[in-house]
């Protein structure tokens, strides 16, 4: 094996190894912490919102009663360590 080929192989391994994968247990922790923060919110009922985390992206789903509640849910999710982004699909529906 030539030194150039050996260098290319080592470089490829280092580059591919640098593409870190996201720990699935981290997603579980993120989901649990976001849900806990939503439940603990005193000024809004955010307990029935759906929360899914995938590779640090948090997906919020469900309905809220106002734009303020929608914004608060996003704010709470963004405050959790490890959250890279929040995908907000919350619908605003006024209480009947």
């Amino acid at each position: 094996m030539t030194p150039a080929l050996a260098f290319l192989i080592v470089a490829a391994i280092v580059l591919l190894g640098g593409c870190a994968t996201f720990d699935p247990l981290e997603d579980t922790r993120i989901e649990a912490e976001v849900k806990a923060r939503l439940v603990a919110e005193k000024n809004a009922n955010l307990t029935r919102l759906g929360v899914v985390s995938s590779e640090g992206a948090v997906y919020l789903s469900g309905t809220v009663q106002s734009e303020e509640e929608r914004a608060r849910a996003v704010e709470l999710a963004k405050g959790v360590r490890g959250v890279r982004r929040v995908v907000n699909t919350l619908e605003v529906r006024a209480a009947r």
Side-chain angles (χ1 to χ4, degrees):
M1 180 181 304
T2 67
L5 181 59
F7 175 77
L8 288 175
I9 292 172
V10 170
I13 291 171
V14 168
L15 286 174
L16 292 176
C19 299
T21 58
F22 201 81
D23 181 6
L25 294 177
E26 184 71 0
D27 278 323
T28 302
R29 183 198 59 78
I30 288 171
E31 277 184 33
E33 192 168 336
V34 170
K35 288 176 183 177
R37 289 184 183 201
L38 293 174
V39 168
E41 178 61 27
K42 301 292 184 206
N43 297 324
N45 184 2
L46 304 175
T47 59
R48 294 188 177 190
L49 300 184
V51 178
V52 176
S53 179
S54 177
E55 296 184 5
V58 173
Y59 298 84
L60 298 175
S61 62
T63 58
V64 293
Q65 295 182 5
S66 67
E67 282 296 329
E68 291 78 18
E69 287 185 4
R70 187 175 195 257
R72 183 64 181 147
V74 171
E75 181 183 341
L76 290 168
K78 285 182 176 179
V80 172
R81 180 178 49 85
V83 172
R84 296 179 180 179
R85 68 184 177 115
V86 176
V87 179
N88 180 358
T89 61
L90 297 173
E91 294 182 33
V92 177
R93 291 190 191 153
R96 296 177 189 194

